[in-house]
């Protein structure tokens, strides 16, 4: 008899508000059936690491782990190493120091955020207070990116498609994207601001506030004219909707697999 349980995995942060925003979304989940749910973190959250979450679920008799990677891009090397370490694939695409976890349950691994329509709404909700004349504005999404071949292309595919969705939702004249790695932030912002004469609204594609959103992004944009609040995707009620859909897809996949 199968007993599925949900493990939501994210990077983790020393900021208490980050952990609280994930826990708040988890506490509000409205699932089609009662399932045990744990949020596990890759690092920085003592007692709440990925192995802790696995152990707690398996202690409740969970036979099938429905794993939701709460990361903004499938181009994240963290997603690759977690998928390997939790036993969802035989080898990582890049070398990793992450040791394999101890898992007895069958693992069903989901998908990161990428270009999900709900995330486009979240991006717009976080920056629309900065919008004054949409017909003269460009929303510039900025993501972490990756210098590694294969991962970079996944980042670009996801964030460029997401930028198109944000334009449809927001009605601004243009949307575009830039990455911190490899760095295209200054050049993209300068192009839209100075060459195209557009008012640039910067939208950080990060789940939680931290060093990148507070220091790195503003630092890369120095001397340019832009609007920026630094607000990240979380907290936002639509995160729960996204999680519910991911869990439902994994549950269906789990139920299709014969014991």
């Amino acid at each position: 008899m199968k007993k599925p349980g949900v493990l939501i995995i994210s990077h983790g942060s020393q900021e208490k508000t980050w952990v609280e925003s994930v826990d708040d979304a988890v506490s509000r989940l409205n699932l089609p059936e009662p399932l045990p749910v744990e949020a596990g973190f890759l690092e920085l959250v003592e007692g709440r690491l990925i192995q802790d979450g696995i152990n707690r679920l398996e202690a409740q008799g969970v036979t099938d782990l429905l794993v939701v990677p709460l990361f903004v891009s499938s181009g994240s090397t963290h997603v690759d190493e977690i998928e390997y370490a939790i036993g969802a694939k035989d080898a990582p695409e890049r070398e990793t120091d992450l040791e394999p976890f101890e898992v007895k349950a069958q693992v069903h691994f989901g998908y990161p955020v990428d270009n999900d329509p709900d995330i486009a709404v979240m991006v717009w909700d976080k920056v629309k207070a900065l919008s004054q004349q949409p017909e003269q504005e460009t929303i510039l999404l900025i993501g972490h990116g990756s210098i590694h071949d294969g991962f970079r292309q996944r980042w670009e595919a996801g964030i460029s498609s997401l930028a198109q969705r944000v334009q449809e939702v927001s009605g601004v004249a243009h949307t575009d994207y830039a990455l911190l790695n490899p760095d295209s932030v200054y050049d993209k912002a300068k192009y839209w601001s100075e060459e195209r004469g557009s008012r640039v609204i910067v939208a950080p594609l990060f789940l939680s506030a931290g060093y990148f959103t507070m220091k790195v992004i503003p630092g890369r944009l120095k001397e340019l004219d832009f609007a920026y609040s630094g607000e990240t995707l979380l907290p936002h009620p639509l995160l729960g909707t996204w999680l519910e859909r991911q869990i439902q897809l994994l549950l269906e996949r789990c139920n299709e697999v014969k014991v």
Side-chain angles (χ1 to χ4, degrees):
M1 185 74 177
K2 289 183 181 181
K3 181 177 179 181
V6 179
L7 180 60
I8 297 162
I9 298 177
S10 55
H11 188 280
S13 170
Q14 290 171 322
E15 299 287 331
K16 269 182 66 178
T17 51
W18 160 233
V19 179
E20 286 167 359
S21 62
V22 174
D23 285 342
D24 181 62
V26 169
S27 72
R28 296 170 187 270
L29 288 175
N30 183 18
L31 300 175
E33 57 186 84
L35 297 172
V37 181
E38 288 285 338
F41 301 91
L42 181 61
E43 59 183 20
L44 302 172
V45 188
E46 198 172 337
R48 301 284 304 279
L49 299 178
I50 296 170
Q51 188 66 60
D52 299 317
I54 294 167
N55 294 347
R56 278 195 277 268
L57 288 167
E58 291 190 339
Q60 296 175 67
V62 164
T63 62
D64 287 73
L65 280 181
L66 313 181
V67 181
V68 181
L70 182 53
F71 290 82
V72 297
S73 174
S74 51
S76 167
T77 54
H78 292 315
V79 175
D80 173 55
E81 62 182 351
I82 292 167
E83 191 173 1
Y84 155 69
I86 206 162
K89 65 180 180 182
D90 294 334
E93 291 177 52
R94 284 196 74 249
E95 201 172 325
T96 175
D97 295 330
L98 194 62
E99 294 290 330
F101 301 112
E102 292 180 22
V103 189
K104 299 186 188 73
Q106 177 76 36
V107 175
H108 308 270
F109 201 83
Y111 305 99
V113 162
D114 283 327
N115 65 344
D116 190 274
D118 281 342
I119 306 304
V121 175
M122 290 167 69
V123 170
W124 172 234
D125 280 352
K126 294 294 181 169
V127 298
K128 65 183 174 188
L130 300 174
S131 178
Q132 297 169 357
Q133 294 176 294
E135 68 281 1
Q136 296 176 18
E137 293 171 341
T138 298
I139 295 176
L140 183 65
L141 274 67
I142 297 182
H144 186 278
S146 176
I147 58 170
H148 303 293
D149 206 34
F151 293 92
R152 183 181 70 255
Q153 287 86 342
R154 270 174 243 160
W155 256 106
E156 289 171 343
I159 196 172
S160 63
S161 179
L162 183 64
Q164 290 175 345
R165 290 191 188 276
V166 171
Q167 185 172 9
E168 291 163 12
V169 169
S170 65
V172 298
H174 308 282
T175 55
D176 199 357
Y177 74 91
L179 300 175
L180 296 174
N181 298 289
D183 185 12
S184 58
V185 172
Y186 182 86
D187 289 345
K188 282 283 184 84
K190 184 177 182 181
Y191 166 76
W192 285 108
S193 175
E194 297 183 6
E195 291 185 38
R196 296 293 297 272
S198 188
R199 181 170 178 269
V200 175
I201 298 173
V202 172
L205 192 59
F206 287 78
L207 288 165
S208 67
Y211 177 69
F212 290 108
T213 59
M214 292 188 274
K215 301 285 187 190
V216 177
I217 291 175
R220 301 248 176 120
L221 292 166
K222 267 193 294 201
E223 300 161 14
L224 292 177
D225 191 18
F226 63 99
Y228 182 62
S229 68
E231 271 206 69
T232 53
L233 293 175
L234 293 181
H236 195 289
L238 270 181
L239 176 69
T241 307
W242 180 81
L243 287 170
E244 286 162 10
R245 284 195 289 107
Q246 293 297 309
I247 293 165
Q248 181 60 41
L249 287 169
L250 288 167
L251 194 56
E252 288 168 8
R253 199 192 303 172
C254 168
N255 290 335
E256 285 169 3
V257 178
K258 298 285 188 286
V259 179

